Every structure is written in structure tokens, then in C-alpha cells.
Amino acid sequence: MEFNHLDKLASAIRNDIYSGLQGYHTNLSLNVEQLKDDIVDERLQIIKEFALKGTLPYKDLLVALNCVPVDCKNIEKCRCTSDYGTPTAHFEIP
């Protein structure tokens, strides 16, 4: 099973809590799904605070999409340009 970044963060936090409470707990149960939800909520809160201050680090939020297949298609349905007949780089989001 391959873990994504969120799974790794939740697992690391859970392990840190358990190791920090070693000997002090008997039946402590942490839900990994709840930890993942809390991580996402905290990240969104931090992004919101940066945005309100006007200091949002845009470069840190960008993700490269290097494996997206791109083709050239006619964009006649696109109303945002005057060159309806010009083939343009195109990809579809699944």
C-alpha cells in the first residue's frame, strides 16, 4: 500500500503522540482519519491567514503536472480568443 503525504503526516503525528505519552496511557486511541482531517483544516487555516495578510506564498502552493498528456486541438468552442481556428495546446481533466 502506497502512502501519500497526508497519510505520512498523520502517521508521524500519531507516532509522536504515542511516544510522548509512553507509560501515561493505557487505551489511547487516535483515529488516523480524524488526524488527516485536522491536518487539512490546519493547512487551510494557515493559507487563509496568509491570504488575509497579503503574504500568501504562491510558489509554495504550486504543483507541477508533468505527466499530463497534451495534444493540439482546434478551440472553436472557446469564446475567450479571436483565433477560433488555431490549434492550441489542449488537455482534458478526468
Side-chain angles (χ1 to χ4, degrees):
M1 178 178 183
E2 182 179 327
F3 287 112
N4 63 26
H5 294 293
L6 192 55
D7 290 324
K8 289 179 183 178
L9 281 172
S11 178
I13 291 170
R14 183 175 180 263
N15 291 340
D16 284 348
I17 291 171
Y18 279 142
S19 67
L21 295 175
Q22 193 172 27
Y24 291 104
H25 67 88
T26 55
N27 293 329
L28 181 64
S29 175
L30 289 175
N31 185 346
V32 176
E33 293 302 317
Q34 180 62 42
L35 282 174
K36 291 193 305 190
D37 289 343
D38 291 343
I39 292 168
V40 170
D41 289 343
E42 185 66 25
R43 181 178 187 270
L44 292 175
Q45 182 62 33
I46 291 169
I47 290 171
K48 181 180 177 183
E49 289 173 10
F50 275 125
L52 290 174
K53 292 178 186 175
T55 58
L56 189 63
Y58 293 104
K59 290 182 180 179
D60 294 338
L61 300 175
L62 298 176
V63 176
L65 299 174
N66 298 325
C67 299
V68 176
V70 177
D71 57 12
C72 287
K73 288 194 175 180
N74 201 345
I75 58 170
E76 70 271 354
K77 293 181 181 178
C78 180
R79 304 271 187 246
C80 59
T81 182
S82 61
D83 296 331
Y84 290 165
T86 304
T88 306
H90 169 269
F91 69 95
E92 292 185 26
I93 299 174

Coordinates of all heavy atoms in Angstrom, one line a residue:
M1 N 0.8 -1.2 0.0 CA 0.0 0.0 0.0 C 0.9 1.2 0.0 O 1.8 1.4 0.8 CB -0.9 0.0 1.2 CG -1.8 1.2 1.4 SD -2.8 1.0 2.9 CE -3.7 2.4 2.7
E2 N 0.6 2.1 -0.9 CA 1.4 3.3 -1.0 C 0.8 4.5 -0.2 O -0.4 4.7 -0.3 CB 1.5 3.8 -2.5 CG 2.4 5.0 -2.7 CD 2.5 5.4 -4.2 OE1 2.4 4.5 -5.0 OE2 2.6 6.6 -4.4
F3 N 1.6 5.1 0.6 CA 1.1 6.2 1.4 C 1.3 7.5 0.7 O 2.4 7.7 0.1 CB 1.8 6.3 2.8 CG 1.4 5.2 3.7 CD1 2.2 4.2 4.1 CD2 0.1 5.2 4.2 CE1 1.9 3.2 4.9 CE2 -0.3 4.2 5.1 CZ 0.6 3.2 5.5
N4 N 0.4 8.4 0.8 CA 0.6 9.8 0.2 C 1.1 10.6 1.4 O 1.3 10.2 2.5 CB -0.7 10.3 -0.4 CG -1.8 10.5 0.6 OD1 -1.6 10.7 1.8 ND2 -3.0 10.4 0.1
H5 N 1.3 11.9 1.1 CA 1.9 12.8 2.1 C 1.0 13.0 3.3 O 1.5 13.0 4.4 CB 2.2 14.2 1.4 CG 3.3 14.1 0.4 ND1 4.6 13.8 0.7 CD2 3.2 14.3 -1.0 CE1 5.3 13.9 -0.5 NE2 4.4 14.1 -1.5
L6 N -0.3 13.0 3.1 CA -1.2 13.2 4.2 C -1.2 12.0 5.1 O -1.2 12.2 6.3 CB -2.6 13.4 3.6 CG -3.7 13.9 4.6 CD1 -3.2 15.2 5.3 CD2 -5.0 14.2 3.9
D7 N -1.1 10.8 4.5 CA -1.0 9.6 5.3 C 0.3 9.6 6.2 O 0.3 9.2 7.3 CB -1.1 8.3 4.5 CG -2.4 8.1 3.9 OD1 -3.5 8.4 4.5 OD2 -2.5 7.7 2.7
K8 N 1.4 10.0 5.5 CA 2.7 10.0 6.2 C 2.7 11.0 7.4 O 3.2 10.7 8.5 CB 3.8 10.3 5.3 CG 4.1 9.2 4.3 CD 5.2 9.6 3.3 CE 5.4 8.5 2.3 NZ 6.5 8.9 1.3
L9 N 2.1 12.2 7.1 CA 2.0 13.2 8.2 C 1.1 12.7 9.4 O 1.5 12.9 10.5 CB 1.4 14.5 7.7 CG 2.4 15.4 6.9 CD1 1.6 16.6 6.3 CD2 3.4 16.0 7.8
A10 N 0.0 12.2 9.1 CA -0.9 11.7 10.1 C -0.2 10.6 10.9 O -0.3 10.5 12.1 CB -2.2 11.2 9.5
S11 N 0.5 9.7 10.2 CA 1.1 8.6 10.9 C 2.3 9.1 11.8 O 2.4 8.6 12.9 CB 1.7 7.6 9.9 OG 2.4 6.6 10.5
A12 N 3.0 10.1 11.3 CA 4.1 10.7 12.1 C 3.6 11.4 13.3 O 4.1 11.2 14.4 CB 4.9 11.6 11.2
I13 N 2.5 12.1 13.2 CA 1.9 12.8 14.3 C 1.4 11.8 15.3 O 1.6 11.9 16.6 CB 0.7 13.7 13.9 CG1 1.3 14.9 13.1 CG2 -0.1 14.2 15.1 CD1 0.3 15.7 12.4
R14 N 0.7 10.7 14.9 CA 0.2 9.7 15.7 C 1.3 9.0 16.5 O 1.3 8.8 17.7 CB -0.6 8.7 14.9 CG -1.2 7.6 15.7 CD -2.1 6.7 14.8 NE -2.7 5.6 15.5 CZ -2.2 4.4 15.6 NH1 -1.1 4.1 15.0 NH2 -2.9 3.5 16.2
N15 N 2.4 8.7 15.8 CA 3.6 8.1 16.5 C 4.2 9.0 17.5 O 4.6 8.5 18.5 CB 4.6 7.6 15.4 CG 4.1 6.5 14.6 OD1 3.1 5.8 14.9 ND2 4.7 6.3 13.4
D16 N 4.3 10.3 17.2 CA 4.9 11.3 18.1 C 4.0 11.4 19.4 O 4.6 11.4 20.5 CB 5.0 12.6 17.5 CG 6.1 12.8 16.5 OD1 7.0 11.8 16.5 OD2 6.2 13.7 15.7
I17 N 2.7 11.4 19.2 CA 1.8 11.4 20.4 C 2.0 10.2 21.2 O 2.1 10.3 22.4 CB 0.4 11.6 19.9 CG1 0.2 13.0 19.3 CG2 -0.6 11.4 21.1 CD1 -1.1 13.3 18.7
Y18 N 2.0 9.0 20.6 CA 2.1 7.8 21.3 C 3.4 7.7 22.1 O 3.5 7.3 23.2 CB 1.9 6.6 20.4 CG 0.5 6.2 20.2 CD1 0.1 5.7 18.9 CD2 -0.5 6.3 21.1 CE1 -1.2 5.4 18.6 CE2 -1.8 5.9 20.9 CZ -2.2 5.5 19.6 OH -3.5 5.2 19.4
S19 N 4.5 8.1 21.4 CA 5.8 8.0 22.0 C 5.9 9.0 23.1 O 6.6 8.8 24.2 CB 6.9 8.2 21.0 OG 6.9 9.5 20.5
G20 N 5.3 10.2 23.0 CA 5.3 11.2 24.0 C 4.5 10.8 25.2 O 4.8 11.3 26.4
L21 N 3.5 10.0 25.0 CA 2.7 9.6 26.2 C 3.0 8.2 26.6 O 2.2 7.6 27.4 CB 1.2 9.7 25.7 CG 0.6 11.0 25.4 CD1 -0.8 10.9 24.9 CD2 0.7 11.9 26.6
Q22 N 4.2 7.7 26.2 CA 4.5 6.3 26.6 C 4.6 6.2 28.1 O 5.2 6.9 28.8 CB 5.9 6.0 26.0 CG 6.3 4.6 26.1 CD 7.6 4.3 25.3 OE1 8.4 5.2 25.2 NE2 7.7 3.1 24.8
G23 N 3.8 5.2 28.6 CA 3.7 5.0 30.0 C 2.6 5.7 30.7 O 2.3 5.5 31.9
Y24 N 2.0 6.7 30.1 CA 0.9 7.5 30.7 C -0.4 7.1 30.2 O -1.4 7.7 30.7 CB 1.2 9.0 30.4 CG 2.4 9.5 31.1 CD1 3.5 9.8 30.4 CD2 2.3 9.8 32.5 CE1 4.6 10.3 31.1 CE2 3.4 10.3 33.2 CZ 4.6 10.5 32.5 OH 5.6 11.0 33.1
H25 N -0.5 6.3 29.2 CA -1.8 6.0 28.6 C -2.0 4.5 28.6 O -1.0 3.7 28.6 CB -2.0 6.5 27.2 CG -1.1 5.9 26.2 ND1 -1.5 4.7 25.6 CD2 0.1 6.2 25.8 CE1 -0.5 4.4 24.7 NE2 0.5 5.2 24.8
T26 N -3.2 4.0 28.7 CA -3.5 2.6 28.7 C -4.3 2.2 27.4 O -3.9 1.3 26.7 CB -4.3 2.1 29.9 OG1 -5.5 2.9 30.0 CG2 -3.4 2.2 31.1
N27 N -5.3 3.0 27.1 CA -6.2 2.6 26.0 C -6.4 3.9 25.1 O -7.5 4.1 24.6 CB -7.5 2.1 26.4 CG -7.4 0.8 27.1 OD1 -6.5 0.0 26.8 ND2 -8.3 0.5 28.1
L28 N -5.3 4.6 24.9 CA -5.4 5.8 24.0 C -5.6 5.3 22.5 O -4.9 4.5 22.0 CB -4.2 6.6 24.1 CG -4.2 7.9 23.2 CD1 -5.3 8.9 23.7 CD2 -2.8 8.6 23.4
S29 N -6.6 5.9 21.9 CA -6.9 5.5 20.5 C -7.1 6.8 19.7 O -7.9 7.6 20.0 CB -8.2 4.7 20.5 OG -8.6 4.5 19.1
L30 N -6.2 6.9 18.7 CA -6.2 8.1 17.8 C -6.7 7.6 16.5 O -6.1 6.7 15.9 CB -4.9 8.7 17.7 CG -4.4 9.5 18.9 CD1 -2.9 9.9 18.6 CD2 -5.2 10.7 19.2
N31 N -7.7 8.2 15.9 CA -8.3 7.9 14.6 C -7.4 8.6 13.6 O -7.3 9.9 13.5 CB -9.7 8.4 14.5 CG -10.4 8.0 13.3 OD1 -9.7 7.6 12.3 ND2 -11.7 8.1 13.3
V32 N -6.8 7.9 12.7 CA -5.9 8.5 11.6 C -6.7 9.3 10.7 O -6.2 10.4 10.3 CB -5.1 7.3 10.9 CG1 -4.3 7.9 9.7 CG2 -4.2 6.6 11.8
E33 N -7.9 8.9 10.4 CA -8.8 9.8 9.5 C -9.1 11.1 10.2 O -9.1 12.1 9.5 CB -10.1 9.0 9.2 CG -9.9 7.8 8.4 CD -9.2 8.1 7.0 OE1 -9.6 9.1 6.4 OE2 -8.3 7.3 6.7
Q34 N -9.3 11.1 11.5 CA -9.5 12.4 12.2 C -8.3 13.3 12.1 O -8.3 14.5 11.9 CB -10.0 12.2 13.6 CG -10.2 13.5 14.4 CD -11.3 14.3 13.8 OE1 -12.4 13.8 13.4 NE2 -11.1 15.6 13.7
L35 N -7.1 12.6 12.3 CA -5.8 13.4 12.2 C -5.7 14.0 10.8 O -5.2 15.1 10.7 CB -4.7 12.4 12.6 CG -4.4 12.1 14.0 CD1 -3.3 11.1 14.2 CD2 -4.1 13.4 14.8
K36 N -6.0 13.2 9.8 CA -5.9 13.7 8.4 C -6.8 14.9 8.2 O -6.4 15.9 7.6 CB -6.1 12.6 7.4 CG -5.0 11.6 7.4 CD -5.0 10.6 6.2 CE -6.2 9.9 5.9 NZ -6.1 8.8 4.9
D37 N -8.0 14.8 8.7 CA -9.0 15.9 8.6 C -8.4 17.2 9.3 O -8.5 18.3 8.8 CB -10.3 15.6 9.2 CG -11.1 14.6 8.3 OD1 -10.7 14.4 7.1 OD2 -12.0 13.9 8.8
D38 N -7.8 17.0 10.5 CA -7.3 18.1 11.3 C -6.1 18.7 10.6 O -5.9 19.9 10.6 CB -6.8 17.6 12.7 CG -8.0 17.2 13.6 OD1 -9.2 17.7 13.2 OD2 -7.8 16.5 14.6
I39 N -5.3 17.9 9.9 CA -4.1 18.4 9.1 C -4.6 19.3 8.0 O -4.1 20.4 7.8 CB -3.2 17.3 8.6 CG1 -2.5 16.6 9.8 CG2 -2.2 17.8 7.6 CD1 -1.9 15.3 9.4
V40 N -5.6 18.8 7.3 CA -6.2 19.6 6.2 C -6.8 20.9 6.7 O -6.6 22.0 6.1 CB -7.2 18.8 5.4 CG1 -8.0 19.6 4.4 CG2 -6.5 17.6 4.7
D41 N -7.5 20.8 7.8 CA -8.2 22.0 8.3 C -7.1 23.1 8.8 O -7.3 24.3 8.5 CB -9.0 21.7 9.6 CG -10.3 21.0 9.2 OD1 -10.7 21.0 8.0 OD2 -10.9 20.3 10.1
E42 N -6.0 22.6 9.4 CA -5.0 23.5 9.8 C -4.3 24.1 8.6 O -4.0 25.3 8.7 CB -4.0 22.7 10.7 CG -2.9 23.6 11.3 CD -3.4 24.6 12.3 OE1 -4.5 24.4 12.9 OE2 -2.7 25.6 12.5
R43 N -4.0 23.4 7.6 CA -3.4 23.9 6.4 C -4.2 25.0 5.8 O -3.8 26.0 5.4 CB -3.1 22.8 5.4 CG -2.5 23.3 4.1 CD -2.2 22.1 3.2 NE -1.4 22.5 2.0 CZ -1.9 23.0 0.9 NH1 -3.2 23.0 0.7 NH2 -1.1 23.3 -0.1
L44 N -5.6 24.7 5.7 CA -6.5 25.7 5.1 C -6.5 27.0 5.9 O -6.6 28.1 5.4 CB -7.9 25.1 4.9 CG -8.0 24.0 3.9 CD1 -9.4 23.4 3.9 CD2 -7.6 24.6 2.5
Q45 N -6.5 26.8 7.3 CA -6.5 28.0 8.2 C -5.2 28.8 8.0 O -5.3 30.0 7.9 CB -6.6 27.5 9.6 CG -6.7 28.6 10.6 CD -7.9 29.5 10.4 OE1 -8.9 29.1 10.0 NE2 -7.7 30.8 10.7
I46 N -4.1 28.1 7.8 CA -2.8 28.9 7.6 C -2.8 29.6 6.3 O -2.4 30.8 6.2 CB -1.6 27.9 7.7 CG1 -1.4 27.4 9.1 CG2 -0.3 28.5 7.2 CD1 -0.5 26.2 9.3
I47 N -3.3 29.0 5.2 CA -3.4 29.6 3.9 C -4.4 30.8 4.0 O -4.1 31.9 3.5 CB -3.9 28.6 2.9 CG1 -2.8 27.6 2.6 CG2 -4.3 29.3 1.6 CD1 -3.3 26.4 1.7
K48 N -5.5 30.7 4.7 CA -6.4 31.8 4.9 C -5.7 33.0 5.6 O -5.9 34.1 5.2 CB -7.6 31.3 5.7 CG -8.7 32.4 5.9 CD -9.9 31.9 6.7 CE -10.9 33.0 6.9 NZ -12.0 32.4 7.7
E49 N -5.0 32.7 6.7 CA -4.3 33.7 7.4 C -3.2 34.5 6.5 O -3.1 35.7 6.6 CB -3.6 33.2 8.7 CG -4.6 32.7 9.7 CD -4.0 32.0 10.9 OE1 -2.7 32.0 11.0 OE2 -4.7 31.5 11.7
F50 N -2.5 33.7 5.7 CA -1.5 34.3 4.8 C -2.3 35.2 3.8 O -1.8 36.3 3.5 CB -0.7 33.3 4.1 CG 0.5 32.8 4.8 CD1 0.7 31.4 5.0 CD2 1.5 33.6 5.2 CE1 1.8 31.0 5.7 CE2 2.6 33.2 5.9 CZ 2.8 31.8 6.1
A51 N -3.4 34.7 3.3 CA -4.2 35.5 2.3 C -4.7 36.8 2.9 O -4.7 37.8 2.2 CB -5.3 34.6 1.7
L52 N -5.2 36.7 4.1 CA -5.7 37.9 4.7 C -4.6 39.0 5.0 O -4.9 40.2 5.0 CB -6.4 37.6 6.1 CG -7.7 36.8 5.9 CD1 -8.3 36.4 7.3 CD2 -8.8 37.6 5.2
K53 N -3.4 38.5 5.3 CA -2.3 39.4 5.5 C -1.7 39.9 4.2 O -0.9 40.8 4.2 CB -1.2 38.7 6.3 CG -1.6 38.4 7.7 CD -0.4 37.7 8.4 CE -0.8 37.2 9.8 NZ 0.2 36.4 10.4
G54 N -2.0 39.2 3.1 CA -1.5 39.6 1.8 C -0.1 39.0 1.6 O 0.7 39.5 0.7
T55 N 0.3 38.0 2.3 CA 1.6 37.4 2.2 C 1.6 35.9 1.8 O 2.4 35.1 2.2 CB 2.3 37.5 3.5 OG1 1.6 36.8 4.5 CG2 2.6 39.0 3.9
L56 N 0.6 35.6 1.0 CA 0.4 34.2 0.5 C 1.6 33.8 -0.3 O 1.9 34.4 -1.4 CB -0.9 34.1 -0.3 CG -1.4 32.7 -0.6 CD1 -1.6 31.9 0.7 CD2 -2.6 32.7 -1.4
P57 N 2.3 32.7 0.1 CA 3.5 32.2 -0.7 C 3.0 31.4 -1.9 O 3.0 30.2 -1.8 CB 4.3 31.4 0.3 CG 3.2 30.9 1.3 CD 2.1 32.0 1.3
Y58 N 2.7 32.0 -3.0 CA 2.1 31.3 -4.1 C 3.0 30.2 -4.7 O 2.6 29.2 -5.0 CB 1.8 32.3 -5.3 CG 0.7 33.3 -5.0 CD1 1.0 34.6 -4.6 CD2 -0.6 32.8 -5.0 CE1 0.0 35.5 -4.3 CE2 -1.6 33.7 -4.7 CZ -1.3 35.0 -4.3 OH -2.4 35.8 -4.0
K59 N 4.4 30.4 -4.6 CA 5.3 29.4 -5.2 C 5.2 28.1 -4.4 O 5.4 27.1 -4.9 CB 6.7 30.0 -5.2 CG 6.9 31.0 -6.2 CD 8.3 31.5 -6.3 CE 8.5 32.6 -7.3 NZ 9.9 33.1 -7.4
D60 N 4.9 28.2 -3.1 CA 4.8 27.0 -2.2 C 3.6 26.3 -2.5 O 3.4 25.1 -2.0 CB 4.9 27.4 -0.7 CG 6.3 28.0 -0.4 OD1 7.3 27.7 -1.1 OD2 6.4 28.7 0.6
L61 N 2.6 26.9 -3.1 CA 1.3 26.2 -3.3 C 1.2 25.6 -4.7 O 0.2 24.9 -5.0 CB 0.2 27.2 -3.1 CG 0.1 27.9 -1.7 CD1 -1.0 28.9 -1.7 CD2 -0.2 26.8 -0.7
L62 N 2.1 25.9 -5.6 CA 2.1 25.3 -6.9 C 2.6 23.9 -7.0 O 3.5 23.5 -6.3 CB 3.0 26.2 -7.9 CG 2.6 27.6 -8.0 CD1 3.6 28.4 -8.9 CD2 1.2 27.8 -8.6
V63 N 2.0 23.1 -7.9 CA 2.3 21.7 -8.1 C 2.5 21.5 -9.5 O 1.7 21.8 -10.4 CB 1.2 20.8 -7.5 CG1 1.6 19.3 -7.8 CG2 1.0 21.0 -6.1
A64 N 3.7 20.9 -9.9 CA 4.0 20.6 -11.3 C 3.1 19.4 -11.8 O 3.0 18.4 -11.1 CB 5.4 20.4 -11.5
L65 N 2.6 19.6 -13.0 CA 1.8 18.5 -13.6 C 2.6 18.0 -14.8 O 2.3 18.4 -15.9 CB 0.4 18.9 -13.9 CG -0.5 19.4 -12.8 CD1 -1.8 19.9 -13.3 CD2 -0.7 18.3 -11.8
N66 N 3.6 17.2 -14.6 CA 4.5 16.8 -15.7 C 4.0 15.6 -16.5 O 4.5 15.4 -17.6 CB 5.9 16.5 -15.1 CG 6.5 17.7 -14.5 OD1 6.3 18.8 -14.9 ND2 7.2 17.4 -13.4
C67 N 3.0 14.9 -16.0 CA 2.6 13.7 -16.7 C 1.3 13.8 -17.4 O 0.6 12.8 -17.6 CB 2.6 12.5 -15.7 SG 4.2 12.2 -15.0
V68 N 0.8 15.0 -17.6 CA -0.5 15.2 -18.3 C -0.3 15.2 -19.8 O 0.5 15.9 -20.3 CB -1.1 16.6 -17.9 CG1 -2.4 16.8 -18.6 CG2 -1.3 16.6 -16.4
P69 N -1.0 14.2 -20.5 CA -0.8 14.2 -21.9 C -1.5 15.4 -22.6 O -2.6 15.7 -22.3 CB -1.6 12.9 -22.3 CG -2.4 12.6 -21.2 CD -1.8 13.2 -20.0
V70 N -0.7 16.1 -23.4 CA -1.2 17.3 -24.1 C -1.2 17.1 -25.6 O -0.3 16.5 -26.1 CB -0.3 18.5 -23.7 CG1 -0.7 19.8 -24.5 CG2 -0.2 18.8 -22.2
D71 N -2.3 17.5 -26.2 CA -2.4 17.4 -27.7 C -2.8 18.8 -28.2 O -3.0 19.7 -27.5 CB -3.4 16.3 -28.1 CG -4.8 16.6 -27.5 OD1 -5.0 17.7 -27.0 OD2 -5.7 15.7 -27.6
C72 N -2.8 18.9 -29.5 CA -3.2 20.2 -30.1 C -4.6 20.0 -30.8 O -4.8 19.1 -31.6 CB -2.2 20.6 -31.2 SG -0.7 21.1 -30.5
K73 N -5.5 20.8 -30.4 CA -6.9 20.7 -30.9 C -7.4 22.1 -31.2 O -6.9 23.1 -30.7 CB -7.8 20.1 -29.9 CG -7.7 18.6 -29.7 CD -8.8 18.0 -29.0 CE -8.7 16.5 -28.9 NZ -9.8 15.9 -28.2
N74 N -8.3 22.2 -32.1 CA -8.9 23.4 -32.5 C -9.8 23.9 -31.4 O -10.6 23.1 -30.8 CB -9.8 23.1 -33.8 CG -10.1 24.4 -34.5 OD1 -9.9 25.5 -34.0 ND2 -10.5 24.2 -35.7
I75 N -9.8 25.2 -31.1 CA -10.5 25.7 -29.9 C -11.7 26.5 -30.4 O -12.0 27.6 -29.9 CB -9.6 26.5 -29.0 CG1 -8.9 27.7 -29.7 CG2 -8.6 25.7 -28.3 CD1 -8.2 28.7 -28.8
E76 N -12.4 26.0 -31.4 CA -13.5 26.8 -32.0 C -14.6 27.0 -30.9 O -15.4 28.0 -31.0 CB -14.1 26.1 -33.2 CG -14.8 24.8 -33.0 CD -13.9 23.6 -33.0 OE1 -12.7 23.8 -33.4 OE2 -14.4 22.5 -32.7
K77 N -14.8 26.2 -29.9 CA -15.8 26.3 -28.9 C -15.4 27.3 -27.9 O -16.3 27.8 -27.1 CB -16.1 25.0 -28.3 CG -16.7 24.0 -29.2 CD -17.0 22.7 -28.5 CE -17.6 21.7 -29.5 NZ -17.9 20.4 -28.8
C78 N -14.2 27.7 -27.8 CA -13.7 28.7 -26.8 C -14.0 30.1 -27.3 O -13.7 30.5 -28.4 CB -12.2 28.5 -26.6 SG -11.6 29.6 -25.4
R79 N -14.7 30.8 -26.4 CA -15.1 32.2 -26.8 C -14.1 33.2 -26.2 O -14.3 34.4 -26.3 CB -16.5 32.5 -26.2 CG -17.5 31.6 -26.6 CD -18.2 32.1 -27.9 NE -19.3 31.2 -28.3 CZ -19.3 30.5 -29.4 NH1 -18.3 30.4 -30.2 NH2 -20.4 29.8 -29.6
C80 N -13.0 32.7 -25.6 CA -12.1 33.7 -25.0 C -11.0 34.2 -25.9 O -10.1 34.9 -25.5 CB -11.5 33.0 -23.8 SG -10.6 31.5 -24.1
T81 N -11.0 33.8 -27.1 CA -9.9 34.2 -28.1 C -10.6 34.5 -29.4 O -11.6 34.0 -29.8 CB -8.8 33.2 -28.2 OG1 -7.8 33.6 -29.1 CG2 -9.4 31.8 -28.7
S82 N -9.9 35.3 -30.2 CA -10.4 35.6 -31.6 C -9.9 34.6 -32.6 O -10.4 34.6 -33.7 CB -10.0 37.0 -32.0 OG -8.6 37.1 -32.0
D83 N -8.9 33.8 -32.3 CA -8.3 32.8 -33.2 C -9.0 31.5 -33.1 O -8.5 30.5 -32.6 CB -6.8 32.7 -33.0 CG -6.1 33.9 -33.3 OD1 -6.5 34.7 -34.1 OD2 -5.0 34.1 -32.7
Y84 N -10.3 31.4 -33.5 CA -11.1 30.1 -33.3 C -10.5 28.9 -34.0 O -10.6 27.8 -33.6 CB -12.5 30.3 -33.7 CG -13.3 31.2 -32.8 CD1 -14.5 31.7 -33.2 CD2 -12.8 31.6 -31.5 CE1 -15.3 32.6 -32.4 CE2 -13.6 32.4 -30.7 CZ -14.8 32.9 -31.2 OH -15.5 33.8 -30.4
G85 N -9.8 29.2 -35.2 CA -9.3 28.1 -36.0 C -7.9 27.7 -35.7 O -7.4 26.8 -36.3
T86 N -7.3 28.2 -34.7 CA -5.9 28.0 -34.4 C -5.7 26.8 -33.4 O -6.3 26.8 -32.4 CB -5.2 29.2 -33.7 OG1 -5.4 30.3 -34.5 CG2 -3.7 29.0 -33.5
P87 N -5.0 25.7 -33.8 CA -4.7 24.6 -32.9 C -3.9 25.1 -31.7 O -3.0 25.9 -31.8 CB -3.9 23.6 -33.7 CG -4.1 24.0 -35.2 CD -4.4 25.5 -35.2
T88 N -4.4 24.7 -30.5 CA -3.8 25.1 -29.3 C -3.5 24.0 -28.4 O -4.2 23.0 -28.5 CB -4.8 26.1 -28.6 OG1 -5.1 27.1 -29.5 CG2 -4.2 26.7 -27.4
A89 N -2.5 24.1 -27.5 CA -2.2 23.0 -26.6 C -3.5 22.7 -25.7 O -4.2 23.7 -25.3 CB -1.1 23.4 -25.6
H90 N -3.8 21.5 -25.6 CA -5.1 21.1 -25.0 C -4.9 19.8 -24.2 O -4.2 18.9 -24.5 CB -6.1 20.8 -26.2 CG -7.4 20.2 -25.8 ND1 -7.5 18.8 -25.8 CD2 -8.5 20.7 -25.4 CE1 -8.7 18.5 -25.4 NE2 -9.4 19.6 -25.1
F91 N -5.6 19.8 -23.0 CA -5.7 18.5 -22.3 C -7.1 18.5 -21.6 O -7.7 19.5 -21.4 CB -4.6 18.4 -21.3 CG -4.7 19.4 -20.1 CD1 -5.3 19.1 -18.9 CD2 -4.1 20.7 -20.2 CE1 -5.3 19.9 -17.9 CE2 -4.2 21.6 -19.2 CZ -4.8 21.2 -18.0
E92 N -7.5 17.3 -21.2 CA -8.7 17.1 -20.5 C -8.5 16.6 -19.1 O -7.7 15.8 -18.8 CB -9.6 16.0 -21.3 CG -10.0 16.5 -22.6 CD -11.0 15.5 -23.3 OE1 -11.6 14.7 -22.6 OE2 -11.0 15.6 -24.5
I93 N -9.3 17.2 -18.2 CA -9.2 16.8 -16.8 C -10.2 15.6 -16.6 O -11.4 15.7 -17.0 CB -9.6 17.9 -15.9 CG1 -8.6 19.1 -16.1 CG2 -9.7 17.5 -14.4 CD1 -9.0 20.4 -15.3
P94 N -9.7 14.5 -16.2 CA -10.6 13.3 -16.0 C -11.6 13.5 -14.9 O -11.5 14.3 -14.0 CB -9.6 12.2 -15.6 CG -8.3 12.8 -15.2 CD -8.3 14.2 -15.8

